[in-house]
Amino acid sequence: MKRTHYSRQITKGMDGQRVKVAGWVSNLRKLGSIAFIKLRDREGFIQITLVKNKMPELFNIIDELTIESVISVDGIVKANEQAPNGVEVLPENIEILSKAETPLPMDISGKIESELETRLNARFMDLRQPKVEAVFMIRDGVLTAIREYLEDQGFIEIHTPKIVAAGAEGGATLFPVKYFEKDAYLNQSPQLFKQIMMSTGLDRVYEIAPAFRAEPSATTRHLSEFTSFDFEMAFIDSQEDVMKTLENCIVHVFNHVKKHEQDFLDVLGIELEVPKTPFKRITFEEAKGLLKTKGKIVVDDLDTEAERLLGTVMEEPFYFITGFPSDTKPFYIMEDEDNPTLSYSFDLDYKGVEMASGGQREHRYGKLIERMKRFGLNPADFSFYLNAFKYGMPPHGGMGLGIERLVQKMLNLGNVRETVLFPRDKTRLVP
Ligand code: AMO
């Protein structure tokens, strides 16, 4: 290997030890007969110090190197109070593995702030910045924690098709696909498949996978391709069972990130507060009342502005809104037994933005067909889904959460695109 240690693993206590480090030349400084290379790898920086009279041949490499070239360095660790982190490496050999051309496609020295569009066009370079990299290290921690929590709760990870014959979340945001001789779509959500799974006996499932929505407008929280975290669980008593699983999962995620990703939170200057359970629950009616006091009149659903305003009046960052009107929720949501104009649905909002929605599903075949027809859907188009309800389908519920929105709000990022390596939106198809 070209490396024995990442930069962060090299400590003062290793004085005198031989190491091999590798990474990108972040900075170069030549001060007469001494020169410094600031080497960057994914864990941070390490100073490589060259002294001319100790290593006359090696010293000349400084004139050959360009910023952002890739090198590997064999050398000896030296504790030095004047070096960053109190430690440096005195090289015995430096190998140039790949020389970077000049000028660079964007400045990543931190001197010039680039526009998001410029950064996304040169994303490979943008991602070399510790602040950008930190977002993805934390995102990795979020996903690890979700899997950890759900596996512990007896859920199994599944993968459902992304090329489908019918969508569940409304025709307006479907992407059509040419599929041999047939019409197909990119799936908007694993909804129909995770529900089919509830009839199989594998009665607790989750999926973390891409979902596609042809979102026509450019906003700071909509993507054409996002990562949907879904779970579905059977034999529930009510949607409360789903909400409890979700809030406990969120708390586990925050604890995990705080424990394992603190270095990256520090890079971003984020003081992460672990939310407390139970999260506050308010009904849609109560939310309407709160919004009225802010001068916002809501009829049957919360728009972006209503969600934002609600965030300003709620005391806690996370809160559930329950009991939305049944006509504004999808056909698969169960209506309230006592008041069918309402539904057993919920949204989870975080700092004024919808993170997740879910609820108890309609598992009774006849009622489901009725509801589909009321929504103007043709049950024949959904027979692959409806068949699973005819031969033994337990009561069940679940939810879907946008990973990008969760990371965005957790890290106080202005735009959801910051949390995607290569975002897709109406105008962006490359890189
Ligand atoms: P919904 O359509 O509310 O519900 O989506 C669930 C969550 O997914 C995220 N999300 C998005 N994130 C970024 N860009 C988008 N275009 C986008 N669209 C949605 C949001 C949202 O809260 N099947 C149901 C879930 C369920 O009932 O289990 C569904 O898809 O964070």
Side-chain angles (χ1 to χ4, degrees):
M1 284 297 288
K2 304 269 183 215
R3 162 192 291 135
T4 56
H5 294 77
Y6 279 115
S7 57
R8 205 194 294 274
Q9 296 164 330
I10 298 178
T11 58
K12 289 181 240 181
M14 290 164 63
D15 189 72
Q17 196 174 318
R18 183 174 299 276
V19 293
K20 205 164 177 171
V21 289
W24 287 258
V25 175
S26 171
N27 198 8
L28 279 171
R29 269 188 309 145
K30 195 169 165 187
L31 309 165
S33 59
I34 188 157
F36 303 101
I37 300 170
K38 186 177 177 188
L39 185 79
R40 185 191 65 245
D41 59 26
R42 71 171 218 197
E43 305 285 317
F45 299 92
I46 181 84
Q47 177 169 294
I48 314 296
T49 307
L50 295 94
V51 184
K52 192 171 187 178
N53 58 17
K54 282 198 190 148
M55 43 191 105
E57 274 173 37
L58 196 56
F59 196 80
N60 294 332
I61 203 166
I62 287 289
D63 298 323
E64 241 185 276
L65 277 179
T66 52
I67 297 285
E68 292 303 316
S69 289
V70 180
I71 60 171
S72 72
V73 181
D74 293 273
I76 307 290
V77 176
K78 185 164 175 260
N80 174 2
E81 281 312 319
Q82 275 148 15
N85 305 326
V87 69
E88 63 190 353
V89 171
L90 303 182
E92 291 182 342
N93 187 36
I94 297 179
E95 193 184 345
I96 301 178
L97 300 173
S98 171
K99 192 167 169 175
E101 288 181 21
T102 56
L104 299 172
M106 63 173 282
D107 181 89
I108 59 165
S109 66
K111 287 184 200 125
I112 307 163
E113 186 102 356
S114 300
E115 296 279 331
L116 184 56
E117 285 301 300
T118 311
R119 292 175 39 209
L120 293 176
N121 287 341
R123 196 57 155 161
F124 69 94
M125 182 64 62
D126 183 44
L127 280 154
R128 296 183 189 183
Q129 304 186 83
K131 279 195 170 195
V132 181
E133 183 208 65
V135 173
F136 293 92
M137 296 303 272
I138 294 166
R139 182 183 155 124
D140 171 67
V142 167
L143 296 175
T144 302
I146 288 175
R147 291 198 166 95
E148 232 174 49
Y149 182 76
L150 288 181
E151 292 287 335
D152 187 54
Q153 296 295 310
F155 284 77
I156 64 158
E157 183 165 10
I158 60 166
H159 289 95
T160 62
K162 301 305 154 209
I163 304 174
V164 294
E169 311 298 331
T173 62
L174 278 171
F175 276 117
V177 177
K178 287 189 216 109
Y179 192 69
F180 306 105
E181 273 78 51
K182 294 202 172 83
D183 290 333
Y185 307 97
L186 294 180
N187 210 3
Q188 299 159 306
S189 153
Q191 184 64 37
L192 305 181
F193 296 94
K194 62 180 182 171
Q195 282 195 262
I196 292 174
M197 290 307 294
M198 295 301 96
S199 77
T200 67
L202 294 173
D203 51 17
R204 290 186 152 212
V205 301
Y206 72 102
E207 177 165 6
I208 303 172
F212 304 89
R213 308 262 171 120
E215 298 285 356
S217 49
T219 76
T220 55
R221 60 189 202 155
H222 285 95
L223 297 156
S224 303
E225 178 173 355
F226 70 99
T227 310
S228 192
F229 156 40
D230 287 78
F231 68 71
E232 201 70 19
M233 54 204 285
F235 301 101
I236 59 169
D237 288 324
S238 75
Q239 56 168 340
E240 250 311 307
D241 293 333
V242 178
M243 289 154 71
K244 279 197 189 109
T245 304
L246 177 55
E247 66 188 354
N248 288 332
C249 181
I250 297 277
V251 168
H252 182 77
V253 165
F254 275 65
N255 277 320
H256 178 99
V257 167
K258 230 175 139 67
K259 184 164 168 205
H260 297 280
E261 312 293 349
Q262 190 57 52
D263 290 336
F264 296 106
L265 291 171
D266 289 345
V267 167
L268 293 168
I270 299 288
E271 202 56 70
L272 201 62
E273 213 180 300
V274 180
K276 289 189 184 57
T277 52
F279 294 169
K280 179 111 181 137
R281 283 123 164 94
I282 60 166
T283 63
F284 177 69
E285 277 306 311
E286 286 166 340
K288 263 169 89 168
L290 286 171
L291 286 164
K292 204 169 168 195
T293 65
K294 286 268 161 189
K296 172 87 185 171
I297 304 298
V298 165
V299 183
D300 53 9
D301 206 357
L302 302 176
D303 59 16
T304 309
E305 175 61 6
E307 281 173 11
R308 191 193 63 75
L309 271 177
L310 197 58
T312 64
V313 286
M314 298 303 289
E315 277 162 20
E316 302 292 330
F318 279 99
Y319 43 91
F320 285 110
I321 306 154
T322 62
F324 285 88
S326 48
D327 285 350
T328 64
K329 283 290 169 182
F331 68 84
Y332 49 79
I333 289 282
M334 189 184 268
E335 290 169 4
D336 190 319
E337 295 277 286
D338 301 324
N339 179 357
T341 66
L342 301 180
S343 61
Y344 292 141
S345 58
F346 67 83
D347 277 4
L348 175 68
D349 283 23
Y350 175 32
K351 296 180 183 167
V353 174
E354 180 202 307
M355 291 289 113
S357 57
Q360 176 158 7
R361 319 303 189 184
E362 183 50 78
H363 66 283
R364 297 162 296 185
Y365 181 74
K367 291 245 178 209
L368 186 56
I369 298 275
E370 252 175 52
R371 224 173 123 72
M372 277 184 130
K373 286 187 180 156
R374 188 133 52 79
F375 277 71
L377 297 169
N378 180 3
D381 295 341
F382 291 84
S383 53
F384 71 95
Y385 164 73
L386 290 168
N387 280 340
F389 290 74
K390 287 202 261 182
Y391 308 99
M393 172 63 96
H396 63 275
M399 72 91 222
L401 176 147
I403 292 293
E404 288 80 12
R405 287 196 188 168
L406 179 62
V407 176
Q408 179 192 4
K409 286 283 144 185
M410 186 184 230
L411 304 180
N412 300 328
L413 300 168
N415 195 314
V416 73
R417 288 161 187 74
E418 298 267 8
T419 71
V420 189
L421 289 174
F422 303 104
R424 292 288 176 264
D425 57 38
K426 198 166 179 195
T427 58
R428 184 170 287 281
L429 191 55
V430 288

